[in-house]
Amino acid sequence: MASNSSNGDHQTSTKQPPLPSPLRFSKFFQSNMRILVTGGAGFIGSHLVDRLMENEKNEVIVADNYFTGSKDNLKKWIGHPRFELIRHDVTEPLLIEVDQIYHLACPASPIFYKYNPVKTIKTNVIGTLNMLGLAKRVGARFGFLLYFQRNLKCCYKLFLIGSNFLDRILLTSTSEVYGDPLVHPQPESYWGNVNPIGVRSCYDEGKRVAETLMFDYHRQHGLEIRIARIFNTYGPRMNIDDGRVVSNFIAQALRGEPLTVQSPGTQTRSFCYVSDMVDGLIRLMEGPNTGPINLGNPGEFTMVELAETVKELINPKVEIKMVENTPDDPRQRKPDISQAKELLGWEPKIKLRDGLPRMEEDFRLRLGVDKSN
Ligand SMILES: NC(=O)c1ccc[n+]([C@@H]2O[C@H](COP(=O)([O-])OP(=O)(O)OC[C@H]3O[C@@H](n4cnc5c(N)ncnc54)[C@H](O)[C@@H]3O)[C@@H](O)[C@H]2O)c1
Ligand SMILES: O=C(O)[C@H]1O[C@H](OP(=O)(O)OP(=O)(O)OC[C@H]2O[C@@H](n3ccc(=O)[nH]c3=O)[C@H](O)[C@@H]2O)[C@H](O)[C@@H](O)[C@@H]1O
């Protein structure tokens, strides 16, 4: 069996040792960062792709099953040499070479995640397991390669360069992990108040298990993880009929329909504009902190106040009517973002009254309702 000692002064055969696969080896020299965005055809994901593509050193791969997302959200990138779109359901394994994973694949609207609760929890549990397996597989092989290079001495320096390309995976978790919070505002140290068997549990508990899996892979396999707990986010490209409150109210105001405030109407939410959210996600991924870190806008409003603001800004003639709510609707939600400020140097810039008109413009275009009506 031919063998070469690491310092090359003793060879039993002229056969060269097997070189690492060109693809892997090139990782040390390639300037491009290969980034997988699962759920990248969705609302937040497509805005994230836009931002990642601005960096010429990024190659972006989107894996999406189009359950709530759309190719339309990515049409400007299709055919671009640094972009690739694959129809893929994350509940099935995915074998590709990547350097970073933003794992966003999961329906976010309560109407959609309640539509098939078993699928929702599979997406959060099996989907996250598949993405962690991908990160570990690629990261582990890469780790071996680093060890191999390190023992070649001459390439030791590459180990230092290469190591900062070690894979990392970011999970977009949610403020729903706090359930119907008894602590207000919610800090990351709060364990939550979640119904394990309710109609929202497929999502709330699914995301909690996803966070658990992230930390277990981190502790057991040393995987580089990042966890963002996203609070209500709004902006252009939200599905017009996805049932979430901001998209509902804007679509209703533009169509001249009554704004449907679900009872009691005094429940609160805090709304973060999508460009602020994307900023926060990238800062978290690029920084050294695993999280979980709350990302959201601490500006808290009741649903009645939100309806009154939409009425004032978009259609003063529209009515506001109370309708029934769904079970387990959290009564209050407001992020404590002191960790995001301190560790990421991040805080949201866009206030609700400045964000809503940008979303109105997008919805007017898509609904064909011009300013005069
Ligand atoms: N928007 C918010 O207010 C909010 C708040 C908290 C957390 N989040 C999280 O952020 C992420 C993105 O949310 P969003 O608002 O963009 O939602 P979205 O529904 O617009 O996007 C989700 C994307 O994931 C895709 N997807 C769903 N299931 C999939 C599967 N099994 N395999 C592959 N793709 C799948 C959908 O087709 C869609 O493109 C989600 O993980 C969501 O839980 C969003
Ligand atoms: O920020 C979060 O973490 C969560 O926020 C939302 O969940 P939720 O707050 O329930 O979102 P909406 O469906 O927009 O409901 C917000 C509030 O508005 C109310 N609502 C909703 C729709 C409507 O037409 N009228 C109305 O008053 C609901 O009862 C609820 O109290 C997202 O749907 C979740 O994906 C996300 O994880």
Side-chain angles (χ1 to χ4, degrees):
M1 168 83 168
S3 69
N4 294 296
S5 67
S6 58
N7 55 20
D9 58 1
H10 164 69
Q11 283 200 344
T12 55
S13 135
T14 52
K15 192 165 180 300
Q16 290 301 317
L19 270 180
S21 75
L23 183 68
R24 299 303 299 158
F25 193 72
S26 69
K27 195 178 178 76
F28 290 108
F29 301 107
Q30 78 188 8
S31 54
N32 278 12
M33 177 73 84
R34 284 163 301 181
I35 302 172
L36 169 64
V37 181
T38 72
F43 160 52
I44 296 178
S46 58
H47 285 278
L48 174 64
V49 169
D50 288 349
R51 188 72 61 77
L52 293 174
M53 287 298 289
E54 284 170 8
N55 180 342
E56 309 249 312
K57 291 198 180 302
N58 288 343
E59 282 175 36
V60 177
I61 301 161
V62 167
D64 203 301
N65 71 351
Y66 308 119
F67 176 45
T68 50
S70 157
K71 287 180 188 170
D72 251 10
N73 291 336
L74 296 165
K75 59 178 181 268
K76 69 176 165 188
W77 299 116
I78 291 172
H80 188 288
R82 288 188 291 111
F83 179 76
E84 210 172 327
L85 175 57
I86 29 179
R87 177 192 290 268
H88 179 81
D89 191 311
V90 293
T91 55
E92 299 298 332
L94 181 60
L95 303 178
I96 53 175
E97 305 284 330
V98 288
D99 303 303
Q100 285 184 348
I101 301 171
Y102 285 87
H103 178 37
L104 281 73
C106 174
S109 162
I111 288 184
F112 284 87
Y113 69 62
K114 292 179 196 173
Y115 172 76
N116 184 343
V118 174
K119 178 61 187 255
T120 298
I121 200 154
K122 279 183 177 175
T123 296
N124 281 312
V125 179
I126 300 170
T128 304
L129 262 176
N130 283 332
M131 291 307 111
L132 285 164
L134 168 60
K136 175 171 173 282
R137 184 183 62 78
V138 177
R141 273 179 49 190
F142 184 56
F144 164 72
L145 195 58
L146 284 174
Y147 176 79
F148 173 71
Q149 298 291 10
R150 187 168 51 179
N151 287 288
L152 277 177
K153 284 201 179 48
C154 61
C155 298
Y156 181 68
K157 213 163 136 292
L158 288 174
F159 170 77
L160 301 178
I161 302 167
S163 59
N164 61 15
F165 280 90
L166 268 185
D167 291 88
R168 54 184 67 170
I169 175 172
L170 180 145
L171 168 75
T172 50
S173 183
T174 165
S175 67
E176 300 271 2
V177 301
Y178 301 120
D180 188 12
L182 306 177
V183 169
H184 193 70
Q186 295 81 57
E188 292 85 351
S189 54
Y190 176 49
W191 288 5
N193 174 40
V194 176
N195 178 353
I197 56 171
V199 293
R200 299 174 79 101
S201 307
C202 59
Y203 184 80
D204 301 2
E205 296 288 27
K207 288 288 189 180
R208 287 164 66 100
V209 171
E211 288 196 16
T212 307
L213 289 169
M214 292 283 284
F215 267 94
D216 286 341
Y217 266 72
H218 177 62
R219 284 183 286 255
Q220 199 167 328
H221 304 296
L223 205 62
E224 282 276 296
I225 64 166
R226 302 288 182 271
I227 296 179
R229 284 183 182 160
I230 299 181
F231 282 66
N232 295 63
T233 302
Y234 70 100
R237 288 193 208 140
M238 280 188 95
N239 279 328
I240 287 178
D241 297 310
D242 100 347
R244 284 184 273 191
V245 67
V246 178
S247 41
N248 265 9
F249 284 2
I250 291 185
Q252 288 162 349
L254 291 176
R255 289 168 170 155
E257 296 162 1
L259 306 188
T260 53
V261 173
Q262 292 174 6
S263 62
T266 52
Q267 71 273 34
T268 67
R269 292 294 188 275
S270 312
F271 298 100
C272 184
Y273 189 71
V274 65
S275 59
D276 283 329
M277 183 51 63
V278 168
D279 262 347
L281 292 174
I282 293 176
R283 280 172 187 255
L284 176 58
M285 177 66 100
E286 297 307 325
N289 302 284
T290 58
I293 293 190
N294 289 338
L295 293 178
N297 189 320
E300 186 182 12
F301 298 85
T302 67
M303 293 309 100
V304 169
E305 287 166 340
L306 175 67
E308 283 164 353
T309 306
V310 169
K311 177 181 167 81
E312 179 205 331
L313 294 178
I314 299 179
N315 183 352
K317 288 191 231 120
V318 79
E319 268 178 66
I320 295 174
K321 76 173 181 182
M322 294 303 284
V323 296
E324 212 181 317
N325 203 337
T326 54
D328 295 353
D329 184 53
R331 281 159 300 180
Q332 57 184 1
R333 190 185 283 160
K334 171 179 175 168
D336 171 342
I337 59 168
S338 37
Q339 282 221 32
K341 284 181 182 172
E342 191 191 313
L343 300 176
L344 306 181
W346 176 89
E347 62 181 311
K349 299 191 188 74
I350 296 172
K351 292 186 171 41
L352 186 69
R353 296 182 72 87
D354 301 325
L356 287 176
R358 302 183 193 194
M359 194 166 159
E360 175 199 354
E361 193 187 333
D362 172 62
F363 272 38
R364 279 187 181 283
L365 220 57
R366 291 157 66 191
L367 286 169
V369 176
D370 60 37
K371 201 79 183 154
S372 53
N373 320 37

